[in-house]
Amino acid sequence: MSKELTLTVISPDKILYQGKAESVILPGSVGYFGILPGHATLVSQLDFGLIKLHTAGKEFRIAIDGGFCEVKNDQIRVLTEGGDSEEDLTHDHAIELLQEAESLPSSKEKENLLKKAKVRILLHER
């Protein structure tokens, strides 16, 4: 059994992450769930949230805007509508996104922009 996972996180704009991980936590549609090497084959819908991957004793986080994942043979593939890593934007910019979303009239788009902004803020909170 392998001791590492291979994680690939892809949005329509870019590859958000491609590399090895010892464990991965994903934001499932009904809650977060973890993947370790040797996990059973799985396909799952994902919600707005943080992907947390652990490698070499460090945690790396990626904010995603929902999507799907496939786990098979210690490979995790995530397809998401959008996302950012901790290096992609500052905490101040995430706060600006939240303020912009809050100023919009009520709509489904506003709800999604609020979720997106709140997840981006979580990127920088430990």
Side-chain angles (χ1 to χ4, degrees):
M1 178 167 67
S2 172
K3 295 192 182 218
E4 284 187 315
L5 301 161
T6 301
L7 174 64
T8 305
V9 182
I10 302 171
S11 75
D13 300 330
K14 61 187 172 183
I15 296 175
L16 296 166
Y17 183 86
Q18 189 167 24
K20 299 291 183 182
E22 295 163 5
S23 66
V24 178
I25 299 172
L26 298 163
S29 59
V30 293
Y32 281 84
F33 62 95
I35 305 292
L36 294 170
H39 197 285
T41 299
L42 167 78
V43 175
S44 180
Q45 182 176 352
L46 302 175
D47 201 355
F48 285 84
L50 295 178
I51 295 175
K52 299 175 186 178
L53 64 109
H54 297 91
T55 187
K58 296 181 182 176
E59 181 181 81
F60 184 72
R61 296 159 16 136
I62 304 164
I64 63 165
D65 303 336
F68 293 89
C69 76
E70 175 191 45
V71 178
K72 184 176 182 181
N73 298 328
D74 290 333
Q75 294 187 23
I76 305 170
R77 291 179 195 89
V78 174
L79 300 176
T80 181
E81 296 174 28
D84 292 296
S85 69
E86 294 174 272
E87 292 81 30
D88 288 338
L89 81 162
T90 65
H91 185 262
D92 290 340
H93 187 240
I95 296 291
E96 289 173 17
L97 291 174
L98 179 62
Q99 291 169 343
E100 289 173 14
E102 287 173 336
S103 69
L104 297 172
S106 292
S107 67
K108 184 67 175 168
E109 180 184 359
K110 177 180 180 172
E111 289 176 32
N112 285 337
L113 290 172
L114 284 169
K115 287 179 189 177
K116 179 178 177 175
K118 289 175 182 177
V119 168
R120 296 322 187 265
I121 290 169
L122 288 175
L123 267 177
H124 298 283
E125 295 180 357
R126 298 245 178 215

